[in-house]
Amino acid sequence: MNWINRQVASGAGWLAIGGGLLWIGYAVASLSGGDAGSGALFSMPAFNSAVLGRISGGGALLLLGLAVAGTAARYGLPSNTPEPFYSTVPSRFGVAVGWVGALAGLLAGLAALLHIEPAYHAMQLFGALLVPIGAMLVAIDANRHETTCPIAAPLFLVGALGLAGILAQALVPAASWMQPVYAALVLAVGGFVWVRFGTLLTLRRP
């Protein structure tokens, strides 16, 4: 397990970049009518866009969940030093949630490949909830330390945008003003911010 932690810690930036790019691909596929079930805006075959979009979404969650855990490990969160009032609890939960979110993304990708609809939708939603929540929990703890404070705001932002993307997708069938293109735009912006966060990690040394 220590070896795995070291690997995800050293590659956290690239995991975030790769996951962000895949998430942007997932957003584009949703515009083609592949995953969101909306009208096709691009001339992609519905079957191909559905499969590719779902695999891209599952792969994105896998990489982004690992990026959350890797970022925490890279910056030594949670700290091993005793803290009052259980103040390291957010990052401990955040790391655990990130790992579970990555596993959900892997299962979602496998379910998409095997065309298991209920399992795919369940795992995709589960992972899409857990990964941003994990990022925000780690960000809360990072904000308390001088050495990790610079990553707290962008990490919290990617988490908030992830939750906003879920809300936007949920509003598509429920609110007439929420067009599929708006939901896809929120998802794409979230992916772009993940790419920028990954770039920050690759350039900044802890």
Side-chain angles (χ1 to χ4, degrees):
M1 189 65 182
N2 289 335
W3 180 84
I4 296 176
N5 283 333
R6 288 195 299 270
Q7 296 304 309
V8 296
S10 62
W14 294 109
L15 289 169
I17 292 172
L21 292 175
L22 286 176
W23 196 248
I24 293 172
Y26 173 69
V28 172
S30 72
L31 280 179
S32 70
D35 193 57
S38 57
L41 300 185
F42 301 133
S43 58
M44 295 172 62
F47 174 78
N48 290 339
S49 63
V51 174
L52 292 177
R54 291 176 178 186
I55 294 174
S56 176
L61 293 175
L62 170 62
L63 296 182
L64 295 177
L66 293 177
V68 170
T71 301
R74 181 186 177 97
Y75 285 89
L77 298 172
S79 174
N80 291 324
T81 58
E83 299 282 352
F85 306 113
Y86 302 98
S87 55
T88 61
V89 168
S91 61
R92 291 187 188 278
F93 278 116
V95 171
V97 167
W99 280 109
V100 177
L103 177 60
L106 175 62
L107 294 177
L110 292 175
L113 280 173
L114 299 174
H115 307 289
I116 307 175
E117 292 282 332
Y120 164 74
H121 289 294
M123 289 298 101
Q124 182 72 13
L125 177 60
F126 193 49
L129 279 170
L130 289 182
V131 170
I133 290 174
M136 296 172 76
L137 288 173
V138 173
I140 291 172
D141 198 5
N143 192 52
R144 298 175 49 256
H145 304 280
E146 183 178 352
T147 57
T148 57
C149 190
I151 68 165
L155 189 56
F156 192 89
L157 177 61
V158 294
L161 285 172
L163 295 179
I166 296 175
L167 177 61
Q169 285 183 304
L171 286 175
V172 169
S176 59
W177 55 268
M178 177 57 75
Q179 298 297 315
V181 66
Y182 300 153
L185 180 61
V186 175
L187 293 175
V189 170
F192 175 76
V193 176
W194 268 113
V195 172
R196 292 294 298 166
F197 176 69
T199 304
L200 170 68
L201 289 183
T202 58
L203 296 177
R204 179 181 175 83
R205 298 296 178 185

